[in-house]
Amino acid sequence: MARSVLVVGGGIAGIQAAYDLAEMGVPVAMLESRPSLGGRMAQLDKTFPTNDCSTCILAPKISDCYNHQLVTTYTYSELVDIEGEAGDFKVRIKKKPRYVKPELCNGCGECAEKCPVKVKDPFNEGLDQQKAIYKLYEQGVPNIMTIDGEHCLKITRDRCGLCEKTCDKGAIDYNQKEEIIELDVASVIFAPGYEAFEGGVVGEYGYKKHPNVITSLEYERFLSASGPTGGHVVRPSDGKEAQRIAFLHCAGSRDVRMDHNYCSAVCCMYSIKQAMVTREHLETIEALDLYYMDIRAYGKGFESYYNQAFDTQGINFYRNRVASLDQDRDSGDIIVKSLNEDGQSQEQKYDLVVLSVGLKPQPEIIELMKRLKIRVSKYGFAAMRGEEPLSTSRPGIFACGVAAGPKDIPEAVMEASGAAVMAAEVARTDKLGLPAAEEGEYTFTEFQRPRVGVFVCHCGNNIAGVVKVEEVAEKAKEIPFVEHSEDIRYLCSEDSLELIAQQIKEKGLNRVVVASCTPRTHEPLFRQAAARGGLNPYLMIMANIRDQNSWVHREDEEGATIKALDLVRSATGKAIRARALSRSKVENMDRAVVIGGGVAGLTAALQLARIGFPVILVEKEAELGGQARDMFLTFQERAARNLVKKLTKEAEENANLHIYASSKVRKVEGYVGNYTLTLQSTEEGKDQEVEIQGGTVIVATGAGELITEEYLAGQDQRVISQKDLDVLIRDNRLEPVPQKVFMIQCVGSREEDRQYCSRICCTQAVHNAIYLKERFPEMEITILYRDMRTYGFFEDLYRKARKLGVRFVLYEEEQKPEVRADRDSLKIRYRDLVSRSTVEEEAQLLVLAKAIVPLEGNRELSQQLKVPLNEDGFFLEAHVKLMPVDFATDGVYLCGLAHGPKNISESIAQACAAAGRAAAVLGRDYLLTEAMVATVNEELCSACGTCEEVCPFKAISVEEGADAAQVNTVLCKGCGSCAAVCRSHAADLLGFTNREILDEIDALFWDREPGKVQAGGVAHGKDI
């Protein structure tokens, strides 16, 4: 039986799935049709709401996956066929000829400089040109050139051959042929990414006809520092800086005239992001206007980001449907013709118009899935089941990311991790697990004279657009003990990381300073580069000359350059006396604890139990099922009660799963690999304290419904919530059947106290309205809404409701509906924005879409687990985009409504993801601790206990009668609180010792003349 898994697609979803599988100990073959990994995300400028550079946060993910011992990557390759069944598939892969030998090519690019042929660059959406021999993008992995066989003169006409003559490595091979590779795999994950709609999908917008009308993906390349304009926002027609820009939403999406009449789910937010980034690029811009139908800011943190944009000067939102675009012949300006909310025609002129095009499946992937007997939806995406949102119709084949429908990066990453654990379940032959991680062996540098290497990153134009990078690198050579200094365009690229390793070896460097972007995302990457060179990774020091310099001083190039050099000088001062650090081994327990017995908790627990890990499930109520127990149907028209029964039955029968119902967590101690939880249990009527242990903890505690008195809620029995309506429908208790029903959306959501969207309310209201209308056609149903957020394929429900006669009336937050009651009916008074008049109508039933709110117990549990909450009270993940199920605290994971509002399918997918992330830890025999931990000088310590009082992780303690405090290095997370309060300076933090911090400060006062250091500094002349 095969044990490996094939992952089709090398974008963010494929990379995440492959890495998680490998971390679970499953061999992976990863397939990517393009020459480099990264997918569409590599083309993006920044992500929202974090404002991270997309390629920068993607680079560490690619590096970790590509260099993993269990991942074999096939780039420039396509899947041909799959035969067999789950557990025993035989797949055929077509490996296209690069006409370059990968084992010899080092990606230097000299061949491309000599190549005379220019073709449109697909990575830059055809906005500029590339050579017939090329790298997909500068940070591309693998770092190998590729020859375009359709345009190469040597291959097509047997002429030229300059690249072969230029390459001194002998890497060019014009005789390469297409190759078929056969693999035996147990399961397959589809993550092939997506295509954007063509700009001409809406003919009346004049794409290609008007040069200053571009697509959103093209605009991403305009904004990118590595794009065709170097990040400058200019008009394609004449290169003039754009001062008035319009973004047209739903260009092709939600359009009944074509096959794209679904919502593409991401367009609203990426348009808002593009407007925000443009505002940063062009502070004097005259207008940034967004034309939209509904703003669908339904993701976690999205509403706050939208509000931020709404309040930003110069960014305007118009709820208008654009009818057509024309071009002013003289100026090249684009004339936008639209209808406003009053139905009146209006015109505006813009320098540039950006079409917010949606997402669609790749045609070749649609054909492939059909050929492989994988059912596709009417829109061409993989058809998935609501209760198994990651499984295709063919057993053993899973899908994640945009393969199954349009979605944003966090959902794609969640689904990838979830698909990984499900594929691993098919692939495993025994308990999953990687060989235990080992600490590397490094060159001994303790008593050597410091030899510092400085590497300064351009980061495209993110840094080099402001800072004179070459000047910084050159002047860094004058800093004492700097033996080597150079500037590199992209330090995070695979070839640059290898260059750092080579320079360490060749120049005998025993310290490294990397001046680039944020350590938050890139420090592990550069530590790995140092380790590759045989240097202890903690002898690599970073200077953040992007976030802390070029981004905040973009108007002062001279000052930013001086500051960049100061930051490099300061980092060098720290590096000189930096110490090599090591990590210790910790025994690891292979049992998981899941807190919460709703659908998410049950799914996570069962997924881990199925792959062989013992699981303890803790539920505060006597009955499992959580919120889903009160639901009638899921949005996929399946009975929620049946799903709960199925999961509960399997949980009770699984030998690997032990359930503690009627139990609450009272205390949490320990660390990853060895958590101890104390429960207060009242099972079987007995109140008792129970102690349980596990190597990882998954938080799936759920959320609640807002309790409010708004709109007479709780005061009149004719005013109910959508959840109440679900119960009435389920139990067939809607009596008497009301003639007129009103529904009010956003009750408690998207307001000052709760600036977030509850995500499911619009779809739930529309779903229930359809159910009622189909059974009671004469019933009049009116939905009062602010934005109808039926994202993705739920747009079909919105359209169906309108066809059935459900009435939708828009209201604004400043003019909320008013409700009063009399004996016979409810009176609903609202402002009709279309007629601009106030209307009062009667209703027999009012249904409120109440906000989903975090549980009151979240704060106590967050303190027990030492994990944070966000400003709304939901649990806060480590990174909103790339680590949506991980906490910053090792070994603790998150899923379901505890993370934020989501529907059942989304909760199941995230629960599988949490299980997959936990499995990667549970499968190891032992773990490695942090290296940057607190230390105590016992000769200076007075055992006062102040450090013990402030330590949030309970990692430092003073035993009774002890002469000094003791540090538990496993618990310590290196926060430095103890060092900050220690009056005798006995407590210190390795990697950030008092001496190192003072060295950083002293270094700022070094003379700028070569070899001179001011008195009081850490170094004098050539000696330490």
Side-chain angles (χ1 to χ4, degrees), residues 650-662:
E650 185 180 350
E652 291 171 346
E653 293 176 352
N654 193 302
N656 283 334
L657 208 163
H658 185 87
I659 300 169
Y660 283 95
S662 302

Side-chain angles (χ1 to χ4, degrees), residues 41 45-54 56-58 269 273 276-277 280 300-302 304-305 308 408-410 518 520-521 546-547 551 876-883:
M41 188 174 170
D45 175 44
K46 293 181 180 178
T47 63
F48 63 89
T50 57
N51 211 33
D52 286 320
C53 172
S54 294
C56 285
I57 62 173
L58 185 61
M269 293 310 299
K273 178 210 71 171
M276 294 282 278
V277 173
E280 294 174 4
K300 190 173 183 180
F302 289 7
S304 296
Y305 192 77
Q308 182 184 348
D408 191 27
I409 294 170
T518 171
R520 186 169 63 92
T521 55
R546 187 192 69 176
D547 304 45
W551 278 2
L876 181 63
E877 63 274 45
H879 192 285
V880 67
K881 289 290 187 186
L882 298 185
M883 299 181 74

Side-chain angles (χ1 to χ4, degrees), residues 130-431:
Q130 67 178 20
K131 298 295 183 71
I133 185 166
Y134 66 98
K135 259 196 303 188
L136 188 63
Y137 62 105
E138 289 193 65
Q139 300 114 302
V141 175
N143 181 37
I144 303 169
M145 307 301 291
T146 301
I147 292 179
D148 182 345
E150 293 184 6
H151 296 96
C152 173
L153 295 176
K154 181 66 176 177
I155 294 171
T156 58
R157 303 182 193 176
D158 197 23
R159 290 167 49 194
C160 187
L162 278 175
C163 52
E164 184 179 31
K165 297 169 187 174
T166 303
C167 182
D168 59 3
K169 303 288 191 301
I172 306 301
D173 181 4
Y174 299 119
N175 297 315
Q176 277 188 2
K177 304 295 182 185
E178 186 179 279
E179 183 182 354
I180 297 295
I181 300 170
E182 291 190 352
L183 300 174
D184 293 323
V185 300
S187 52
V188 178
I189 296 176
F190 266 94
Y194 65 91
E195 280 191 3
F197 293 158
E198 299 83 2
V201 68
V202 184
E204 54 266 35
Y205 289 168
Y207 177 73
K208 294 296 185 187
K209 178 183 175 184
H210 308 319
N212 294 326
V213 177
I214 63 175
T215 68
S216 46
L217 201 49
E218 290 170 343
Y219 193 62
E220 284 286 341
R221 301 311 301 150
F222 272 52
L223 292 172
S224 175
S226 63
T229 63
H232 299 293
V233 182
V234 298
R235 305 198 322 171
S237 64
D238 53 17
K240 186 180 81 173
E241 188 177 82
Q243 284 299 310
R244 294 182 60 82
I245 303 175
F247 298 86
L248 310 190
H249 288 205
C250 298
S253 299
R254 303 182 64 187
D255 197 329
V256 295
R257 299 172 300 173
M258 54 195 72
D259 294 332
H260 308 141
N261 51 357
Y262 53 86
C263 166
S264 286
V266 300
C267 320
C268 287
M269 293 310 299
Y270 74 57
S271 286
I272 293 172
K273 178 210 71 171
Q274 288 175 338
M276 294 282 278
V277 173
T278 304
R279 190 73 181 79
E280 294 174 4
H281 281 242
L282 301 170
E283 293 187 0
T284 59
I285 196 163
E286 295 175 18
L288 286 164
D289 296 345
L290 289 81
Y291 292 81
Y292 71 98
M293 292 193 292
D294 297 284
I295 292 292
R296 292 185 166 171
Y298 59 87
K300 190 173 183 180
F302 289 7
E303 183 72 15
S304 296
Y305 192 77
Y306 167 40
N307 290 338
Q308 182 184 348
F310 195 84
D311 295 335
T312 298
Q313 186 176 5
I315 299 180
N316 308 301
F317 291 82
Y318 298 112
R319 194 186 290 268
N320 292 15
R321 183 69 176 183
V322 173
S324 64
L325 304 179
D326 285 330
Q327 180 174 285
D328 186 297
R329 292 185 179 179
D330 297 327
S331 65
D333 291 347
I334 303 300
I335 303 167
V336 175
K337 298 180 179 180
S338 63
L339 295 175
N340 63 20
E341 292 174 352
D342 295 328
Q344 311 217 330
S345 177
Q346 63 183 39
E347 294 184 2
Q348 292 281 355
K349 275 190 179 183
Y350 295 96
D351 298 322
L352 190 65
V353 171
V354 182
L355 305 181
S356 297
V357 293
L359 315 183
K360 67 175 184 178
Q362 301 172 48
E364 59 271 23
I365 297 299
I366 298 174
E367 291 305 313
L368 177 63
M369 288 194 293
K370 289 179 179 177
R371 195 167 71 246
L372 298 177
K373 298 181 175 58
I374 297 172
R375 190 165 59 87
V376 299
S377 71
K378 63 181 178 180
Y379 297 122
F381 297 94
M384 316 300 281
R385 289 172 287 177
E387 68 271 19
E388 294 183 29
L390 305 172
S391 300
T392 70
S393 59
R394 187 169 176 181
I397 299 181
F398 307 93
C400 60
V402 185
K407 55 183 63 72
D408 191 27
I409 294 170
E411 284 75 26
V413 172
M414 286 178 202
E415 289 186 355
S417 294
V421 76
M422 296 183 76
E425 180 186 348
V426 179
R428 76 182 183 90
T429 54
D430 49 19
K431 192 176 77 171

Side-chain angles (χ1 to χ4, degrees), residues 898-913:
H899 169 263
K902 54 182 62 68
N903 63 45
I904 283 183
S905 292
E906 292 162 343
S907 291
I908 291 172
Q910 193 180 20
C912 291

Side-chain angles (χ1 to χ4, degrees), residues 688-706:
Q688 57 185 334
E689 205 171 76
V690 179
E691 194 174 90
I692 60 174
Q693 291 182 307
T696 63
V697 178
I698 294 177
V699 177
T701 49
E705 184 181 70
L706 176 69

